[in-house]
Amino acid sequence: MLRIAVIGAGRIGQVHARTIAAHPRAELALVCDPAQGAAKDLADLHGARSCQDVEEVFSDPAIDAVIVGSPTPLHIPHLLAAAKAGKAVLCEKPIALDMRDVEEARTDLDAVGVPVMFGFNRRFDPSFAAVHAAVEAGRIGDLEQLTIISRDPAAPPLEYVKVSGGIFRDMTIHDFDTARFFLGDIIEVHAVGQNLDPAIEEAGDFDAAVVTLRAASGAVATIINNRHCASGYDQRLEASGRDGALLAENIRPTTVRLSNAEITDAQEPYLDFFLERYADAYRLELSAFIEAVEEGTTPPTSIADAIEALRLAEAATESARSGRPVRLG
Amino acid sequence: MLRIAVIGAGRIGQVHARTIAAHPRAELALVCDPAQGAAKDLADLHGARSCQDVEEVFSDPAIDAVIVGSPTPLHIPHLLAAAKAGKAVLCEKPIALDMRDVEEARTDLDAVGVPVMFGFNRRFDPSFAAVHAAVEAGRIGDLEQLTIISRDPAAPPLEYVKVSGGIFRDMTIHDFDTARFFLGDIIEVHAVGQNLDPAIEEAGDFDAAVVTLRAASGAVATIINNRHCASGYDQRLEASGRDGALLAENIRPTTVRLSNAEITDAQEPYLDFFLERYADAYRLELSAFIEAVEEGTTPPTSIADAIEALRLAEAATESARSGRPVRLG
Amino acid sequence: MLRIAVIGAGRIGQVHARTIAAHPRAELALVCDPAQGAAKDLADLHGARSCQDVEEVFSDPAIDAVIVGSPTPLHIPHLLAAAKAGKAVLCEKPIALDMRDVEEARTDLDAVGVPVMFGFNRRFDPSFAAVHAAVEAGRIGDLEQLTIISRDPAAPPLEYVKVSGGIFRDMTIHDFDTARFFLGDIIEVHAVGQNLDPAIEEAGDFDAAVVTLRAASGAVATIINNRHCASGYDQRLEASGRDGALLAENIRPTTVRLSNAEITDAQEPYLDFFLERYADAYRLELSAFIEAVEEGTTPPTSIADAIEALRLAEAATESARSGRPVRLG
Amino acid sequence: MLRIAVIGAGRIGQVHARTIAAHPRAELALVCDPAQGAAKDLADLHGARSCQDVEEVFSDPAIDAVIVGSPTPLHIPHLLAAAKAGKAVLCEKPIALDMRDVEEARTDLDAVGVPVMFGFNRRFDPSFAAVHAAVEAGRIGDLEQLTIISRDPAAPPLEYVKVSGGIFRDMTIHDFDTARFFLGDIIEVHAVGQNLDPAIEEAGDFDAAVVTLRAASGAVATIINNRHCASGYDQRLEASGRDGALLAENIRPTTVRLSNAEITDAQEPYLDFFLERYADAYRLELSAFIEAVEEGTTPPTSIADAIEALRLAEAATESARSGRPVRLG
């Protein structure tokens, strides 16, 4: 039974708390958030303790592992403090908003040597993982083109947009990791940012984008993002290879199809957002983390993955602003 | 170039006239209908001659073949007269409304020896034919259960219902032939008639039905019929075997799918009725007829098929009325 | 927290034990099975106590509710004993194999007055339930034809077949309940039994069947059963009404589709069997049971439902043997 | 009856000849090709005359209209000569390989004033046209992102590749026109070329590409091309708007779906190539051309469309070579 503390009682912290509570080999021991009410409410919901000061998390001997779900600027400090305290860490994405903050952390972490994993949940989604496994098994021959469609149901509040680091660091970061998961090293990034919603433009961000990634292998990935989608959380992926193609389709609450005089075989809107859509992925991500901690193996995602995804986000940001592709070393 | 006369300028005659006109190896030479206007209009549309008296068809040396699309009670007289005049014949379904009229015709036809084929168009539908070919090729192992769903977009006029011979002889007859096409000899028929529309009930007919057919092979076919379907002409077939299953889905005008806040991947209603839905089938049926005539081979459907389908329709009618299954000799 | 005992540590008992263990408002307190090892193993898996004698269940004051998953002949005795001991009961289907055993139980139960619910899990399947809700809401107008396709991946062991009460009481019983759920009172049953596997025929049972049910409303339900299906557990339902139709499709482990030179958009086989396919249904069934117990409301399925489903199974058995439809009073 | 001559008896000339022959209001009068055998064979197939010298086409008073299907460098000379001879012209894509050749032609054509149309067949595909009509009707709100997937079944012969003008002028040109059809003016083009097949790389061309187009409206189109696709001719389009999305799916020969122990609901490979896939589009394109000629209306595609598509192809070629986006004036 892994005793886990969750730092951050916001949306993502709630997801993790619930996943831990339902996991047969994990126990939600502690919830930490500077907002006392939020920490207590979430802790009470699952019968855990709560605290407001992160130091209590790091110094608590009854905590085996920490999930870092604090605001992004605190990811590195919390991650390092937990690791130095000997706790295993599962850290949310993105690792940071600026690459300059990251390299030092990497050196520090290497020195500590506890298991540290990063929350790229798409890798654990059963459908995406099945496509990846089939590609790796050679089912479609050499992978030539990867298409990722990722649209949120609705934009986050403007206050969040302003501190998010921008669409590429906040939203596309998952798709960058997915592209790397399938294609390995990326050598060139081109991004077209779109401003469909004037309020988001005023906040200094794009609310839609198309990103093209050229891989060292010669394959090309296309990422199509939008902060808004009428039909729900649109999450699809198509891997096209020399000998075939694999498509991961959207997920609906049921398999029901309606036909009438206007339409036939109409399905329901997609599951609304990441909590529902990636519920299985969060569960399997946690299992992978627990397994790595228990068995002392290397977790499936590393700080190198977090750094590379951030590097792609920075390159896309630069490309979308300058209008030019960015080559990576 | 096969010179063809069409007897009957009604709905089915129009289908055949159009199919002949578009066929590279057939010529629509003559249209015959007692209603002068109807005959002339249809003939003019395709640049053919017209007449009102069927005797002109049979005695015309410039006619190689005749398509009998007259009202059902005239099928046997027209079929026999054409055959005796040495014309190849493609006769519409059902051959007759009463089995007592048929056996004599069979003997007469056997004596004449011209190619005679019956219009069971489902056998020539590309999707149904592909399922049949795959079953015959052993793709799904022994066929165990066949499900035929066949619903018309809307009931025919009451005047037609009254002289149609009833739903089983008029509508289900196609599905009976399909069942025989897949399963061979049928040894037991059970039919449940439904009266959803009181006007059709008053006219003495059912407007929906579920028929179960037990084949000598041990397989069972289920036919689900309805004279009405909100989404159009619902024509599906599923063959389920020991090692797999084959489904022929409905056909829409385009492949477009609509998604919005209420529905996702909604397709269009089905093609509206037999003219559109079975356009390819009529074309391929005509090709098979022409090929048999030109090459002197046996046409793919025979009077025996027409008789057996009628026998099943009679058995279903009896079963639906008596409430008991009917065993066939 | 409802403290629940499970009687029977077989396949269905294991399903319920797991569902209880994962349920936030239920606790698996006790597992009872005459086979000591089976009881203990299942209990240990979920941290519960075990016993071999059912009397210990009934007399245990720490038990609030009992799930009866014993062999069918013991359903009524266990159900009655638990109810008389004041426990709420969720009883598996079928209630019994013979109608003569049932009426007395009904009288006894009425006298006791504890909440008693029967395990017709299809009613709680999210897709089937969504179709039902949409039909009730009038989305497709008057329901005219209901088609239920229900095929198991593989036949149970012959030993089980011999004591199962036959395919209609053991397997179709779920579909009978589904038909009643959608159509209400059934007035006529016709069943065609199939013997595809000689071993099952020797055991005195059918291994496939097509059943037609006529409802008092004029609607007709068709049930297509097979003990074997190459592609997995084939569980579909189509409700066809005056203004439209609703289809509940099969469920696969992922949404992945494969295309190559031979096939396109191929999906995975269906979830293998009831444990996976109806995992959500068992969870929601348990929730409905707990809610009824906690709030003192009438459970959504009653002994009347269990009796009516059994009556349909008996009628189908008679019809399949006699070759005649059976009318219900 | 429009009397039409076809210049060029190659692959595309054969498509047009067949379409004309089957069209009720068109007559294939003449086939012209410098290769005598090719011209005669195609003409004989449809009962037309043939010639080897294009001057015979232009001077023939029995010809009302000309379809220019000659090699691309001859498009402008043939187009101009036919127009100056007073023939209506339907010219194949691309209008030329180099923009410098085109502007003069435009001036000349404007002076002549006969109906001239360009063969952008995608606009006439029933599914693509239905999506376009629905977008124009406001069914999905403001169009935000357009995704075009266009993959050929197999690369053309190297000899063809060498004179094709490159993938963007030869293959993507259709998709550029489709993008303009949906989005109007394009202001920026970015193209990533891929070299998957070394032989095509040696021939100086790309065999796959991803192109991003930014429209003046703020919408972005993504075109994903590949000269090879294992499953056939992959032709899809998705228009995503503020209030919904419209998808045009691939087309298969039948609607059959196969399920077995490995796969479920597997469909057939896509129709193999443009002749089959766009048969309806060629027919409707010809109808639109005939209608414009007969009624004296402006044809739906103009030389301006041909020029703009070529401009996008030139920009994409430059972008793919330089690695930089190209802005359009």
Side-chain angles (χ1 to χ4, degrees):
Chain A
M1 212 63 156
L2 201 71
R3 296 165 302 175
I4 305 179
V6 169
I7 301 179
R11 211 162 48 165
I12 194 69
Q14 291 167 26
V15 172
H16 286 298
R18 192 158 94 165
T19 307
I20 294 166
H23 198 283
R25 297 209 312 281
E27 179 196 333
L28 180 66
L30 185 58
V31 175
C32 176
D33 196 294
Q36 185 181 1
K40 189 168 185 313
D41 285 355
L42 182 56
D44 286 355
L45 190 65
H46 300 291
R49 289 176 289 126
S50 67
C51 67
Q52 293 167 256
D53 180 354
V54 286
E55 296 307 325
E56 291 185 35
V57 174
F58 307 137
S59 63
D60 188 336
I63 297 299
D64 303 314
V66 173
I67 295 187
V68 177
S70 44
T72 302
L74 297 173
H75 283 178
I76 288 179
H78 290 167
L79 161 64
L80 285 179
K84 285 174 183 169
K87 317 295 189 197
V89 185
L90 173 57
C91 181
E92 264 306 318
K93 54 94 238 176
I95 184 171
L97 295 182
D98 194 316
M99 189 61 77
R100 286 165 297 187
D101 302 333
V102 181
E103 288 296 345
E104 209 176 294
R106 182 184 211 158
T107 312
D108 288 356
L109 270 188
D110 287 350
V112 177
V114 296
V116 175
M117 179 167 146
F118 287 81
F120 291 116
N121 58 7
R122 266 69 163 173
R123 294 195 184 207
F124 303 95
D125 175 71
S127 294
F128 293 173
V131 171
H132 185 263
V135 170
E136 294 293 304
R139 294 290 299 278
I140 59 167
D142 287 345
L143 184 53
E144 298 178 342
Q145 297 176 320
L146 180 74
T147 309
I148 298 169
I149 294 178
S150 171
R151 297 183 174 112
D152 287 353
L158 276 181
E159 291 316 302
Y160 179 86
V161 167
K162 285 173 187 165
V163 300
S164 69
I167 189 171
F168 299 113
R169 288 183 185 88
D170 180 61
M171 178 179 175
T172 325
I173 192 105
H174 277 300
D175 308 311
F176 288 133
D177 184 64
T178 303
R180 289 189 63 252
F181 185 43
F182 277 87
L183 298 181
D185 287 344
I186 304 298
I187 58 173
E188 192 181 270
V189 178
H190 176 257
V192 178
Q194 292 180 263
N195 280 115
L196 305 166
D197 178 345
I200 292 179
E201 186 171 17
E202 269 177 52
D205 199 3
F206 304 107
D207 61 334
V210 176
V211 185
T212 316
L213 305 173
R214 188 198 289 272
S217 69
V220 171
T222 305
I223 299 169
I224 300 175
N225 280 164
N226 201 326
R227 283 287 197 186
H228 168 85
C229 177
S231 299
Y233 192 31
D234 186 7
Q235 298 284 299
R236 286 174 282 163
L237 179 152
E238 188 171 65
S240 181
R242 189 72 195 161
D243 304 331
L246 287 153
L247 172 68
E249 260 289 357
N250 276 305
I251 301 181
R252 282 91 170 173
T254 74
T255 65
V256 175
R257 298 176 180 213
L258 171 68
S259 298
N260 58 34
E262 279 81 41
I263 48 158
T264 56
D265 273 352
Q267 299 179 64
E268 289 175 277
Y270 315 134
L271 285 178
D272 193 45
F273 211 9
F274 60 92
L275 177 58
E276 294 80 18
R277 171 62 176 82
Y278 289 112
D280 279 338
Y282 283 113
R283 186 175 50 75
L284 294 166
E285 180 188 276
L286 183 69
S287 288
F289 175 62
I290 292 174
E291 193 178 305
V293 174
E294 286 179 343
E295 304 187 2
T297 54
T298 306
T301 55
S302 68
I303 191 167
D305 295 315
I307 289 173
E308 291 308 316
L310 178 59
R311 197 188 306 279
L312 293 174
E314 295 207 334
T317 305
E318 182 191 333
S319 172
R321 285 188 186 147
S322 70
R324 295 193 178 178
V326 173
R327 262 152 245 202
L328 300 173
Chain B
M1 211 63 156
L2 200 72
R3 297 164 303 176
I4 305 179
V6 168
I7 301 178
R11 211 162 49 164
I12 193 71
Q14 292 167 26
V15 172
H16 285 298
R18 193 158 93 165
T19 307
I20 294 166
H23 199 282
R25 296 209 314 280
E27 178 195 333
L28 180 66
L30 186 58
V31 174
C32 176
D33 197 293
Q36 186 180 1
K40 189 166 185 313
D41 285 355
L42 182 56
D44 286 355
L45 191 64
H46 300 291
R49 290 176 289 126
S50 67
C51 67
Q52 294 167 256
D53 181 355
V54 287
E55 295 307 323
E56 292 184 35
V57 174
F58 307 135
S59 62
D60 188 336
I63 297 300
D64 303 314
V66 174
I67 294 187
V68 176
S70 46
T72 302
L74 297 173
H75 282 177
I76 289 179
H78 289 166
L79 160 65
L80 285 179
K84 284 175 182 167
K87 317 295 189 199
V89 184
L90 173 57
C91 181
E92 265 306 318
K93 54 96 245 180
I95 184 171
L97 295 183
D98 193 316
M99 189 60 77
R100 283 165 298 187
D101 302 333
V102 181
E103 288 296 345
E104 208 176 295
R106 181 184 210 159
T107 312
D108 288 355
L109 270 189
D110 287 350
V112 177
V114 295
V116 175
M117 180 168 148
F118 287 81
F120 290 115
N121 59 8
R122 266 68 163 174
R123 296 195 183 207
F124 303 95
D125 174 71
S127 294
F128 293 173
V131 171
H132 186 262
V135 170
E136 294 292 305
R139 294 290 299 277
I140 59 168
D142 287 344
L143 184 54
E144 297 179 343
Q145 297 176 321
L146 180 74
T147 309
I148 299 169
I149 293 178
S150 170
R151 297 184 174 111
D152 287 353
L158 275 181
E159 291 317 302
Y160 178 87
V161 168
K162 286 173 186 163
V163 299
S164 69
I167 189 172
F168 299 113
R169 287 183 186 88
D170 180 62
M171 178 179 174
T172 325
I173 192 103
H174 277 299
D175 308 310
F176 289 132
D177 183 65
T178 302
R180 290 190 61 251
F181 184 44
F182 277 86
L183 297 182
D185 288 344
I186 302 299
I187 59 173
E188 192 180 88
V189 178
H190 175 257
V192 178
Q194 291 179 263
N195 280 116
L196 304 166
D197 178 347
I200 292 179
E201 185 170 16
E202 268 177 53
D205 199 3
F206 304 108
D207 60 335
V210 177
V211 184
T212 317
L213 305 173
R214 187 197 290 272
S217 69
V220 171
T222 305
I223 299 169
I224 299 175
N225 281 164
N226 201 326
R227 283 289 198 185
H228 168 84
C229 177
S231 299
Y233 192 31
D234 186 7
Q235 299 282 299
R236 284 174 284 163
L237 180 151
E238 188 172 64
S240 182
R242 190 72 195 160
D243 305 331
L246 287 152
L247 172 67
E249 259 290 354
N250 277 306
I251 301 181
R252 281 91 170 173
T254 74
T255 65
V256 175
R257 298 175 181 214
L258 171 68
S259 297
N260 57 35
E262 278 81 41
I263 49 159
T264 56
D265 274 351
Q267 299 180 65
E268 291 176 277
Y270 315 135
L271 285 177
D272 192 45
F273 211 10
F274 59 92
L275 177 58
E276 294 80 18
R277 170 63 177 83
Y278 288 113
D280 278 338
Y282 283 113
R283 185 175 52 75
L284 294 165
E285 179 187 277
L286 184 69
S287 288
F289 176 62
I290 292 173
E291 192 178 306
V293 173
E294 286 179 342
E295 304 187 2
T297 54
T298 305
T301 56
S302 70
I303 191 167
D305 294 314
I307 289 173
E308 291 308 316
L310 178 59
R311 198 187 306 279
L312 294 175
E314 295 207 334
T317 306
E318 184 191 331
S319 172
R321 286 188 184 145
S322 71
R324 295 191 177 180
V326 172
R327 263 154 242 203
L328 299 173
Chain C
M1 212 63 156
L2 201 71
R3 296 165 302 176
I4 304 179
V6 169
I7 301 179
R11 210 162 48 165
I12 194 69
Q14 291 167 26
V15 172
H16 285 298
R18 193 156 94 166
T19 307
I20 295 166
H23 198 283
R25 296 210 313 282
E27 178 196 333
L28 181 65
L30 185 58
V31 175
C32 176
D33 196 294
Q36 186 180 1
K40 189 167 185 314
D41 285 356
L42 182 56
D44 286 355
L45 190 66
H46 300 291
R49 289 176 290 125
S50 67
C51 67
Q52 293 166 258
D53 181 354
V54 286
E55 295 307 323
E56 293 183 34
V57 174
F58 307 136
S59 62
D60 188 337
I63 296 299
D64 304 315
V66 173
I67 295 187
V68 177
S70 45
T72 302
L74 297 173
H75 283 176
I76 289 178
H78 289 166
L79 161 63
L80 285 179
K84 285 175 182 167
K87 317 295 190 198
V89 185
L90 172 57
C91 181
E92 265 306 317
K93 54 95 240 177
I95 183 171
L97 295 182
D98 194 317
M99 191 60 79
R100 285 165 298 187
D101 302 333
V102 180
E103 288 296 346
E104 208 177 295
R106 181 184 211 157
T107 313
D108 288 355
L109 271 188
D110 286 352
V112 176
V114 296
V116 175
M117 180 168 147
F118 287 80
F120 291 115
N121 58 7
R122 264 71 164 174
R123 294 194 184 208
F124 303 95
D125 175 71
S127 294
F128 293 173
V131 171
H132 185 262
V135 170
E136 294 292 304
R139 294 290 300 277
I140 58 168
D142 287 343
L143 184 54
E144 298 179 342
Q145 297 176 321
L146 180 74
T147 309
I148 299 169
I149 293 178
S150 172
R151 298 183 174 113
D152 287 353
L158 276 181
E159 291 316 302
Y160 179 87
V161 168
K162 285 174 187 164
V163 300
S164 69
I167 189 170
F168 299 114
R169 287 184 184 86
D170 180 62
M171 178 178 175
T172 324
I173 192 104
H174 277 300
D175 308 311
F176 289 132
D177 183 65
T178 303
R180 290 190 61 252
F181 184 44
F182 276 87
L183 298 181
D185 288 342
I186 303 298
I187 59 173
E188 192 181 270
V189 179
H190 175 257
V192 178
Q194 291 179 265
N195 280 115
L196 304 166
D197 178 346
I200 292 179
E201 185 170 18
E202 268 177 53
D205 199 4
F206 304 108
D207 60 333
V210 176
V211 184
T212 316
L213 304 173
R214 188 198 290 273
S217 69
V220 171
T222 305
I223 299 169
I224 300 175
N225 281 164
N226 200 326
R227 282 288 197 185
H228 168 85
C229 177
S231 299
Y233 192 31
D234 186 8
Q235 298 284 298
R236 285 174 283 163
L237 179 152
E238 188 172 64
S240 181
R242 190 71 195 162
D243 304 330
L246 287 153
L247 171 68
E249 260 289 357
N250 276 305
I251 301 181
R252 282 90 169 174
T254 74
T255 65
V256 175
R257 298 177 181 212
L258 171 68
S259 298
N260 58 34
E262 278 81 42
I263 49 160
T264 56
D265 274 352
Q267 299 179 66
E268 290 175 278
Y270 315 134
L271 286 177
D272 192 45
F273 211 10
F274 59 92
L275 177 58
E276 293 81 18
R277 170 62 177 84
Y278 289 112
D280 278 340
Y282 283 113
R283 186 174 52 76
L284 294 165
E285 180 188 276
L286 183 69
S287 287
F289 175 63
I290 292 173
E291 192 178 307
V293 174
E294 286 179 343
E295 305 187 0
T297 55
T298 306
T301 56
S302 68
I303 190 167
D305 295 313
I307 288 173
E308 290 309 316
L310 178 60
R311 198 187 305 280
L312 294 174
E314 295 207 335
T317 306
E318 184 190 331
S319 173
R321 284 188 186 147
S322 71
R324 296 193 178 179
V326 172
R327 262 151 245 204
L328 299 174
Chain D
M1 211 62 155
L2 199 73
R3 296 165 303 177
I4 304 179
V6 168
I7 300 178
R11 211 161 49 164
I12 193 69
Q14 291 167 26
V15 171
H16 286 299
R18 193 158 94 165
T19 307
I20 294 165
H23 199 283
R25 297 210 312 282
E27 178 196 332
L28 180 66
L30 185 58
V31 175
C32 176
D33 197 292
Q36 186 180 2
K40 189 168 186 310
D41 285 355
L42 182 57
D44 286 355
L45 190 65
H46 300 291
R49 289 176 291 124
S50 67
C51 67
Q52 293 166 255
D53 181 355
V54 286
E55 296 306 324
E56 292 183 36
V57 174
F58 307 136
S59 63
D60 189 335
I63 296 300
D64 303 315
V66 174
I67 294 187
V68 177
S70 44
T72 302
L74 298 173
H75 282 177
I76 289 180
H78 289 167
L79 161 64
L80 285 179
K84 286 175 182 167
K87 318 295 188 197
V89 184
L90 173 56
C91 181
E92 265 306 317
K93 54 96 243 177
I95 184 171
L97 296 183
D98 194 316
M99 190 61 77
R100 285 164 298 187
D101 302 333
V102 181
E103 288 296 344
E104 208 177 293
R106 182 183 210 158
T107 312
D108 287 355
L109 270 189
D110 286 351
V112 177
V114 294
V116 175
M117 178 168 149
F118 287 81
F120 290 116
N121 58 8
R122 265 69 163 174
R123 295 195 183 206
F124 303 95
D125 175 71
S127 294
F128 293 173
V131 171
H132 186 262
V135 170
E136 293 292 304
R139 294 290 300 278
I140 59 168
D142 286 344
L143 184 53
E144 298 179 341
Q145 297 176 321
L146 179 74
T147 310
I148 299 169
I149 294 178
S150 171
R151 297 184 174 112
D152 287 352
L158 276 181
E159 291 316 303
Y160 178 88
V161 168
K162 285 173 188 166
V163 298
S164 69
I167 189 171
F168 299 112
R169 288 184 184 87
D170 180 62
M171 179 178 173
T172 325
I173 192 104
H174 277 300
D175 308 310
F176 288 132
D177 183 65
T178 303
R180 290 190 62 251
F181 185 44
F182 277 87
L183 298 182
D185 287 344
I186 303 298
I187 58 173
E188 191 180 271
V189 178
H190 176 258
V192 178
Q194 293 178 264
N195 280 116
L196 304 166
D197 179 345
I200 292 179
E201 185 170 16
E202 268 178 52
D205 199 3
F206 304 108
D207 60 335
V210 176
V211 184
T212 316
L213 305 173
R214 187 197 291 271
S217 69
V220 171
T222 305
I223 300 169
I224 300 175
N225 280 164
N226 201 326
R227 283 287 197 186
H228 168 85
C229 177
S231 299
Y233 192 31
D234 186 8
Q235 298 283 299
R236 285 174 283 162
L237 180 152
E238 188 171 64
S240 182
R242 190 70 195 160
D243 304 331
L246 287 152
L247 171 69
E249 259 289 356
N250 276 306
I251 301 181
R252 282 90 170 173
T254 74
T255 65
V256 175
R257 298 176 181 213
L258 171 68
S259 298
N260 58 34
E262 278 81 42
I263 48 159
T264 57
D265 274 351
Q267 299 180 64
E268 290 175 277
Y270 316 134
L271 284 177
D272 192 43
F273 211 10
F274 60 90
L275 177 58
E276 294 80 18
R277 171 63 177 84
Y278 289 112
D280 278 339
Y282 283 113
R283 185 174 52 75
L284 294 165
E285 179 188 276
L286 183 69
S287 288
F289 176 62
I290 292 174
E291 193 178 305
V293 174
E294 286 179 343
E295 305 187 1
T297 54
T298 306
T301 56
S302 69
I303 191 167
D305 295 314
I307 288 172
E308 291 308 316
L310 178 59
R311 198 187 306 279
L312 293 175
E314 294 207 335
T317 305
E318 184 190 331
S319 172
R321 284 190 186 147
S322 71
R324 295 192 177 179
V326 173
R327 264 155 240 202
L328 299 173

